[in-house]
Amino acid sequence: MSEYKQRVGRLQHKLQTGGFDGMVVTQNVDLYYLAGSMQTGYLIVPASGDPKFFVRRSVARAEEESAWPVEPLGSLREFAGQLGAAFPDLAATTGRSPVKLAAEFDVLPVQLFQRLQQSLAHVEWKDGSALIRETRMIKSPFEIEAIRSAARVINDAFEDAFGWLKPGMTELEAMSRMEYFVRERGHIGIMRLRGYNQEVITGMLGAGDAAATPTYFDGPAGGLGLSAASPQSSSRRPFETNEPILMDVGCCIGGYVIDQTRTVVFGSLPDDLAYAYDASERILRSAEGLLRPGTVCEQLYAESLRLADDAGLADHYMGYGRDQVKFLGHGIGLEVDELPVLARGFNYPLEAGMVIAVEPKFTFPGRGVVGIENSYAITADGFEKLTISREGLIRL
Amino acid sequence: MSEYKQRVGRLQHKLQTGGFDGMVVTQNVDLYYLAGSMQTGYLIVPASGDPKFFVRRSVARAEEESAWPVEPLGSLREFAGQLGAAFPDLAATTGRSPVKLAAEFDVLPVQLFQRLQQSLAHVEWKDGSALIRETRMIKSPFEIEAIRSAARVINDAFEDAFGWLKPGMTELEAMSRMEYFVRERGHIGIMRLRGYNQEVITGMLGAGDAAATPTYFDGPAGGLGLSAASPQSSSRRPFETNEPILMDVGCCIGGYVIDQTRTVVFGSLPDDLAYAYDASERILRSAEGLLRPGTVCEQLYAESLRLADDAGLADHYMGYGRDQVKFLGHGIGLEVDELPVLARGFNYPLEAGMVIAVEPKFTFPGRGVVGIENSYAITADGFEKLTISREGLIRL
């Protein structure tokens, strides 16, 4: 309960600073973060005072799960009345300017938003996505422990895979088996993403030219995928010797994700790819040197770009050609695409409690992707590496 | 190509009837349906003439996949110019009323919508969700064959599971193993859903009281799930003898889903649950008697309610108490929650080419869920049962 009080308190501080009267939270992950329950409904967070969870279904389940009082949600027509009764300050009163409410414009569908607009007249709606994403950006010790648990599971999955990966096996066979391993141990089945149209099951496991195939996915390594209906990650291509196999695989345990990458080869890599792999480790070490409170996020990206350029690999860094992505890493937590982003324009200084995946990679069209990715928690005086898997190029 | 011409042609007919000048399609599944590619971008479908796909990434991949011409998408600021050059009729011209464009308001996030609004002035935006969902509601022979392929895979998965399901095994162990089976055979990892906040990996596999636990999920059987962070489907509860095990498990092969349910028991069911299972089969048979062009969707639901009531099981039908859901079935295709819905207020008459999952189920709190679900294609003179798995209560 103190966890939820603190989370809501931090959001309320931002609501007050932004001049909001409150926030209507609708997204499953945000609901879980603020109330401990992702039943279908609206969590009303007033700028001050306790929230209330108006639930469509399951009310019974929400009552068990929710940190805040639950009230069954009537029709949207009645919602204004329900809301007004629970939060007199949020009800429109004569002689007062419109109530200013935040909502998650980054995920809220237009249709539902329009229904809320119709149902709650006299509300001035504003985008509250940044408020909730910035609140979630700083993890509590409880959350970091949850990510450590996920890190242990994925490390076991990698070590298990190192034991059975074989040339001739297809990307899909390998990915399926790793997914089975983590699923049996509590992986919820997907790694949740906030971005529209983005999907991640457990990540991307791909080899050679297939791994280097660009995709719509907002990450450095796409993958051929199974077909145009699932155009990313593993395909039915078999592994060969002396080519890089990129294992960018995570899992979601108890709601929290871990994200990590290792590069594997049967035999040995061609010299230029081995050189690029070493460059990715150098960039990671350089980033570690800057992982402490105060470092500005975009500085981490700029420094990594400089190192990639020094290595003569700028064209291959984080994708190739017009399919390059422009970041070095991203926050993780309940979702894989959290704040902060290590990219130009992100001026957040690192703070204790941030958890970020740092993933320098190099793409060689027709030949493969090499790189490494660790997840880190920022601490008061530096960082804790949450990823516990062995580093270096893995030769099998 | 003729497939995509036909799909777009059917959407264009609806756009013309609705007085639209065109549609801006943004959702991955709709993009795939209309263009054969789900790369990130906007497909512009004019009310007449060929569409064009403005792509952010991957342009290279979209050029390979897309049925329609691809143009790299510049910044959103330049989009109005790009659009006007490609579609002079959609450019705002003096002395003409605003251009009327449809968009997928049911899935489009407010933030992206506002960006489109800013970038394309002089556009009157309207909800085009129903147009695209109704276009997708009627499947082509190609699509029905894709669903047949998925039906074969899931049937193999059920038969395989009937061989290894054992008392003492947990729901999660069983679900993980079934998922591994279908994943190796090309399941993309999730079954896509259109509904906000809704998630399905492969469905729900649950036993006894755990299966009967209500959830937020908009379906008759929720399931306890792993925790409040994933509050549906399988839990770590072991199977016992003489209790119903509900296997509502599907998969997504080549983009198309299949959805089916069987009820399994080690030993035998208590009489009242066996009676309810029989009632579910009776309702399914009765529905089959009505599955032909012309039957109105809500009539199927009403008839099923009547039969549940006649059996004295109305309180248990499709959930229990305030957690009952109010439908008998739903369309399937690229997503699990397609049109038509077999529910009150859905006045679509069945048409050849519709594919629907019919899922009568009965919930007994603390004891379990029993029922059956088949998927059907509506044909010119009746139906084709796409589900090929053996029926009846499965005793192991």
Side-chain angles (χ1 to χ4, degrees), chain B residues 267-346:
Chain B
S268 61
L269 286 185
D271 286 348
D272 57 339
L273 298 193
Y275 170 79
Y277 178 79
D278 289 342
S280 75
E281 284 213 357
R282 268 203 316 281
I283 291 174
L284 190 70
R285 293 286 95 81
S286 153
E288 285 177 349
L290 295 167
L291 287 184
R292 58 176 175 268
T295 300
V296 175
C297 288
E298 67 174 1
Q299 188 193 335
L300 284 158
Y301 177 61
E303 180 62 14
S304 79
L305 262 185
R306 196 184 60 74
L307 289 173
D309 198 31
D310 284 355
L313 291 167
D315 289 349
H316 299 268
Y317 187 52
M318 301 302 277
Y320 188 82
R322 61 176 302 138
D323 291 304
Q324 282 181 309
V325 296
K326 310 261 183 241
F327 64 84
L328 167 65
H330 52 90
I332 61 168
L334 292 167
E335 293 168 320
V336 195
D337 50 351
E338 298 207 354
L339 293 178
V341 184
L342 309 183
R344 195 167 295 150
F346 284 83

Side-chain angles (χ1 to χ4, degrees), chain A residues 179 187 189-191 199-203 232 250-251, chain B residues 183 188-190:
Chain A
E179 287 177 357
H187 171 57
I190 50 171
M191 294 166 72
E199 299 169 345
V200 173
I201 310 306
T202 55
Q232 63 172 350
C251 62
Chain B
R183 183 81 167 113
I188 68 167
I190 50 170

Side-chain angles (χ1 to χ4, degrees), chain A residues 48-368:
Chain A
S48 61
D50 281 356
K52 189 159 203 176
F53 194 12
F54 295 89
V55 175
R56 174 141 298 132
R57 73 192 291 265
S58 157
V59 172
R61 188 120 177 203
E63 279 167 349
E64 276 176 33
E65 295 170 342
S66 173
W68 308 109
V70 169
E71 187 173 320
L73 183 64
S75 73
L76 264 182
R77 216 165 305 160
E78 300 156 23
F79 186 44
Q82 281 191 284
L83 190 67
F87 299 100
D89 290 356
L90 295 187
T93 54
T94 342
R96 191 187 177 291
S97 54
V99 173
K100 189 169 157 192
L101 291 183
E104 304 130 303
F105 282 13
D106 61 342
V107 290
L108 181 67
V110 174
Q111 213 174 68
L112 179 56
F113 179 54
Q114 291 186 337
R115 277 189 213 134
L116 285 169
Q117 283 180 308
Q118 281 160 20
S119 135
L120 304 178
H122 312 296
V123 167
E124 182 193 351
W125 294 93
K126 291 277 181 184
D127 191 356
S129 309
L131 305 185
I132 181 94
R133 296 190 72 199
E134 287 173 2
T135 302
R136 287 177 42 192
M137 176 166 71
I138 310 299
K139 273 74 182 174
S140 70
F142 171 86
E143 292 186 281
I144 292 173
E145 180 52 34
I147 300 173
R148 280 191 205 103
S149 299
R152 284 189 290 271
V153 172
I154 204 65
N155 178 56
D156 290 346
F158 272 67
E159 285 298 325
D160 183 63
F162 296 155
W164 50 251
L165 280 167
K166 295 247 164 356
M169 177 177 276
T170 70
E171 293 174 353
L172 179 62
E173 285 167 349
M175 187 55 132
S176 304
R177 189 158 167 185
M178 285 193 78
E179 287 177 357
Y180 181 36
F181 186 98
V182 296
R183 183 81 166 113
E184 272 208 315
R185 284 156 184 81
H187 171 57
I188 68 166
I190 50 171
M191 294 166 72
R192 293 189 176 108
L193 275 162
R194 203 166 179 90
Y196 182 49
N197 287 338
Q198 301 283 297
E199 299 169 345
V200 173
I201 310 306
T202 55
M204 138 78 185
L205 198 164
D209 57 342
T213 309
T215 70
Y216 75 95
F217 186 73
D218 195 18
L224 184 56
L226 293 169
S227 74
S230 179
Q232 63 172 350
S233 189
S234 301
S235 73
R236 295 179 189 274
R237 178 191 183 286
F239 299 134
E240 296 173 14
T241 54
N242 308 318
E243 67 175 10
I245 300 172
L246 195 78
M247 297 173 64
D248 182 349
V249 183
C251 62
C252 178
I253 305 283
Y256 285 85
V257 301
I258 184 75
D259 194 7
Q260 68 177 47
T261 301
R262 293 295 183 263
T263 303
V264 170
V265 63
F266 303 117
S268 62
L269 286 184
D271 286 349
D272 58 339
L273 299 193
Y275 170 78
Y277 177 80
D278 289 343
S280 75
E281 284 214 359
R282 268 205 315 281
I283 292 174
L284 191 71
R285 292 286 94 82
S286 152
E288 285 177 352
L290 296 167
L291 287 184
R292 57 175 176 269
T295 300
V296 176
C297 287
E298 67 174 2
Q299 188 194 336
L300 284 158
Y301 177 61
E303 181 62 14
S304 78
L305 261 186
R306 197 184 61 73
L307 289 174
D309 197 33
D310 284 355
L313 291 167
D315 289 348
H316 300 267
Y317 187 52
M318 302 302 277
Y320 189 82
R322 62 175 303 139
D323 291 304
Q324 282 180 309
V325 296
K326 310 260 184 245
F327 64 84
L328 167 64
H330 51 89
I332 62 169
L334 292 167
E335 294 167 319
V336 196
D337 51 351
E338 298 207 354
L339 293 178
V341 184
L342 308 183
R344 195 166 296 149
F346 284 82
N347 294 312
Y348 297 104
L350 292 182
E351 282 179 65
M354 287 180 177
V355 176
I356 48 178
V358 182
E359 52 172 332
K361 287 169 188 159
F362 294 97
T363 298
F364 295 81
R367 300 177 65 208

Side-chain angles (χ1 to χ4, degrees), chain A residues 14-21 100:
Chain A
K14 291 180 198 294
L15 288 169
Q16 290 158 18
T17 307
F20 289 97
D21 295 299
K100 189 169 157 192

Side-chain angles (χ1 to χ4, degrees), chain B residues 32-94:
Chain B
Y32 177 69
Y33 178 78
L34 293 168
S37 174
M38 53 172 70
Q39 300 303 312
T40 297
Y42 310 128
L43 182 75
I44 307 299
V45 182
S48 62
D50 281 356
K52 191 159 201 175
F53 193 13
F54 295 89
V55 176
R56 174 140 300 133
R57 73 192 292 265
S58 156
V59 171
R61 188 119 178 206
E63 280 168 347
E64 275 175 34
E65 294 170 343
S66 172
W68 308 109
V70 169
E71 187 172 320
L73 182 65
S75 74
L76 264 183
R77 215 166 305 159
E78 300 157 23
F79 185 46
Q82 282 191 284
L83 190 66
F87 299 99
D89 289 356
L90 294 187
T93 53
T94 342

